[in-house]
Amino acid sequence: MNFERVKEKLNILADAAKYDVSCSSSGSDRKNKNKGLGDASKMGICHSYTEDGRCVSLLKILLTNHCIFDCAYCVTRKSNDVKRAAFKIQEVVDLTINFYRRNYIEGLFLSSGIFKSPDHTMERLIAVAKKLREEENFNGYIHLKSIPGCSDDLMYEAGLYADRLSVNIEVPTISGLKLLAPDKKHEDFTKPMLKVKNELIRYKNERKIIKSTPKYAPAGQSTQMIIGATGESDKDIMFSATHYYKNYNMKRVYYSGYVPVAEDNRLPAIGSQVPMLRENRLYQTDWLLRFYGFAVNEIVNDSHPNLDVDIDPKLSWALRNMQYFPVDVNKADKRMLVRIPGLGLRSVSKILQARKFRKLNWDHLKKIGVALNRAKYFMICDSTNWQAKDLEADKIKGMILQTSSGKFRNQYSNQFSLFTSN
């Protein structure tokens, strides 16, 4: 092996892979067996944090940055003048094993540009995973990026070796895809997603009958959308995400703020700010939809198509629906408690347990960990002192902003001044 050449490839192809953010904690429980290498049991993989606070990492690379497509938003598009490289299958296998032995990584995240054809590329990705599993007895986490347009047979085989599969939908809407990637078809993305969904269902049903049935993509599938490359509203994006969660059983939908990489009149100009705050608001909305019982049209709709910049989506919903407040924390059900700004799922669980023994007042709520700087305007408890005192929504918003802080605060300082000047 030419180590200098492999090192050069690693620099090029690891850098090219940094734009893909869909590599979170896996949820896989692949066990180490037969004294093999690695163990993906009860832990997340990649640069993320597990439930017990541990940071985990993975080797995140492209197999190659050669590509037959010319998608305007992609740094590896065929018309872009960048240095190209391609790993051999065995080189990726050796890198993964050597990095794992040195405790640098706990798994592999492997994607690729599309060279020759989708099937040819997917075959090589599968070959890496198969070698790791069958020849190296590697039981660590493997996340394969599925290639849009590849065959069902290859998608099936990929799920036998990978813990997670994902196909990036890339652009949230069909019209946006036609604008920026006219060579690609929407069904090229959805077809492999549907195959994975159906196989997951089939294997789950077979395992109920035959316990020895092997697992198929045990960590499920995910996808990613580029945010800010086209003119979609937050409503368009979240309705699209909800569609993929509902119809393709996605574990996660990721939102990646567009990083300007090309001069193109269809795209934001080079030097434009990456929409990090917007990305953050979309993740907050995603969380509300998946864990807090909100419906997507409660948060974004025709009258409110874009998320607020200066406040989070849960607070925004509450201020637009003051008719539901104040909520009595000693009587309300869980569905309503989780909708109170400042109350998370853990705080709600503590409230439900604590109120079995006594009525809760402000001191109790503070000890539980409720963020009273915002929650106090939307709740009542065992106290005659209700903080809101019939304040209007705009006034409540200004008072909350006046005492809030966050990493994106400077991005909406102008809006903030409008609420604190009076």
Side-chain angles (χ1 to χ4, degrees):
M1 180 186 293
N2 186 331
F3 290 102
E4 288 302 316
R5 178 54 182 155
V6 170
K7 183 179 178 181
E8 182 184 11
K9 290 180 183 181
L10 184 60
N11 288 334
I12 295 170
L13 297 173
D15 183 70
K18 68 184 179 183
Y19 297 100
D20 198 320
V21 300
S22 56
C23 52
S24 74
S25 298
S26 70
S28 176
D29 61 352
R30 185 184 297 273
K31 300 292 191 299
N32 195 328
K33 54 189 178 181
N34 300 326
K35 298 182 179 180
L37 287 171
D39 190 333
S41 175
K42 298 179 182 178
M43 58 188 295
I45 304 296
C46 88
H47 296 291
S48 184
Y49 289 90
T50 59
E51 291 184 359
D52 60 1
R54 291 179 297 114
C55 182
V56 293
S57 59
L58 81 170
L59 177 61
K60 181 181 178 184
I61 55 174
L62 300 184
L63 188 61
T64 180
N65 63 347
H66 291 279
C67 194
I68 61 175
F69 290 107
D70 202 27
C71 306
Y73 48 79
C74 185
V75 70
T76 63
R77 67 195 182 281
K78 66 181 180 181
S79 64
N80 198 20
D81 185 18
V82 295
K83 198 168 186 178
R84 307 284 178 172
F87 278 122
K88 297 176 182 177
I89 292 170
Q90 191 60 46
E91 287 175 336
V92 178
V93 172
D94 291 342
L95 279 172
T96 303
I97 296 302
N98 287 329
F99 278 25
Y100 182 84
R101 290 186 186 280
R102 288 165 175 77
N103 203 31
Y104 294 158
I105 62 168
E106 294 170 90
L108 171 68
F109 179 95
L110 185 62
S111 184
S112 183
I114 303 173
F115 58 105
K116 290 189 179 181
S117 70
D119 277 359
H120 179 78
T121 307
M122 195 67 206
E123 285 172 357
R124 294 178 66 81
L125 292 174
I126 294 170
V128 172
K130 187 173 182 178
K131 272 180 170 286
L132 284 168
R133 297 296 191 209
E134 296 188 350
E135 295 180 17
E136 300 294 341
N137 203 13
F138 181 72
N139 293 296
Y141 177 74
I142 297 178
H143 184 155
L144 290 184
K145 297 300 302 217
S146 308
I147 303 301
C150 73
S151 70
D152 283 353
D153 288 343
L154 289 173
M155 285 305 302
Y156 167 73
E157 188 178 6
L160 299 177
Y161 302 109
D163 293 281
R164 173 166 287 186
L165 297 170
S166 56
V167 183
N168 286 354
I169 198 65
E170 299 178 357
V171 183
T173 61
I174 296 175
S175 59
L177 185 67
K178 288 181 178 178
L179 176 67
L180 299 182
D183 295 335
K184 290 183 177 179
K185 299 177 182 178
H186 185 254
E187 53 266 31
D188 290 341
F189 299 91
T190 56
K191 184 170 174 282
M193 289 179 183
L194 185 60
K195 176 63 176 177
V196 174
K197 172 195 169 182
N198 291 337
E199 290 298 332
L200 286 169
I201 293 172
R202 182 170 72 87
Y203 266 72
K204 182 178 180 181
N205 291 334
E206 287 183 2
R207 283 180 67 84
K208 293 178 181 177
I209 303 171
I210 306 172
K211 298 300 182 183
S212 60
T213 300
K215 292 184 178 181
Y216 179 89
Q221 65 173 328
S222 59
T223 191
Q224 172 179 308
M225 299 179 184
I226 299 171
I227 304 305
T230 46
E232 290 90 359
S233 66
D234 294 333
K235 172 178 170 283
D236 296 329
I237 293 166
M238 292 315 305
F239 269 79
S240 180
T242 301
H243 169 78
Y244 290 109
Y245 276 125
K246 180 180 179 181
N247 295 294
Y248 298 96
N249 293 0
M250 288 291 162
K251 286 287 188 178
R252 287 293 303 274
V253 175
Y254 294 87
Y255 312 93
S256 177
Y258 174 68
V259 180
V261 294
E263 290 289 357
D264 192 308
N265 57 15
R266 295 170 292 176
L267 293 166
I270 295 289
S272 298
Q273 188 175 27
V274 178
M276 296 297 294
L277 177 54
R278 186 184 186 193
E279 178 185 308
N280 184 59
R281 295 293 184 230
L282 290 168
Y283 276 116
Q284 290 174 327
T285 302
D286 186 282
W287 201 258
L288 294 179
L289 300 182
R290 292 193 295 133
F291 300 110
Y292 283 72
F294 282 85
V296 62
N297 59 0
E298 290 184 281
I299 301 175
V300 283
N301 46 54
D302 290 339
S303 60
H304 191 76
N306 289 302
L307 299 168
D308 290 313
V309 174
D310 49 353
I311 57 175
D312 67 80
K314 186 177 177 183
L315 176 57
S316 176
W317 176 85
L319 293 172
R320 287 183 279 118
N321 292 275
M322 291 299 293
Q323 69 271 20
Y324 296 118
F325 301 101
V327 172
D328 188 338
V329 295
N330 288 302
K331 297 179 180 178
D333 60 15
K334 181 178 179 180
R335 177 185 174 278
M336 201 61 219
L337 288 175
V338 297
R339 290 175 175 242
I340 300 174
L343 262 66
L345 294 175
R346 190 171 298 178
S347 294
V348 168
S349 179
K350 290 180 180 179
I351 288 171
L352 292 172
Q353 288 296 319
R355 75 185 191 183
K356 293 178 181 178
F357 304 99
R358 67 181 305 165
K359 288 187 176 182
L360 305 179
N361 58 33
W362 296 115
D363 287 336
H364 298 142
L365 294 172
K366 187 175 182 179
K367 290 178 181 178
I368 284 173
V370 174
L372 289 178
N373 64 316
R374 58 181 59 202
K376 64 185 179 182
Y377 300 107
F378 302 94
M379 64 167 63
I380 54 175
C381 58
D382 189 28
S383 171
T384 57
N385 180 25
W386 180 45
Q387 296 289 331
K389 298 178 181 177
D390 298 325
L391 295 174
E392 295 182 354
D394 286 347
K395 190 67 175 178
I396 294 174
K397 178 179 178 180
M399 295 174 73
I400 291 174
L401 284 173
Q402 196 168 11
T403 59
S404 66
S405 61
K407 63 181 180 180
F408 296 112
R409 180 69 176 273
N410 63 332
Q411 293 192 27
Y412 52 84
S413 57
N414 291 335
Q415 291 94 329
F416 173 68
S417 65
L418 297 175
F419 295 102
T420 58
S421 59
N422 295 327

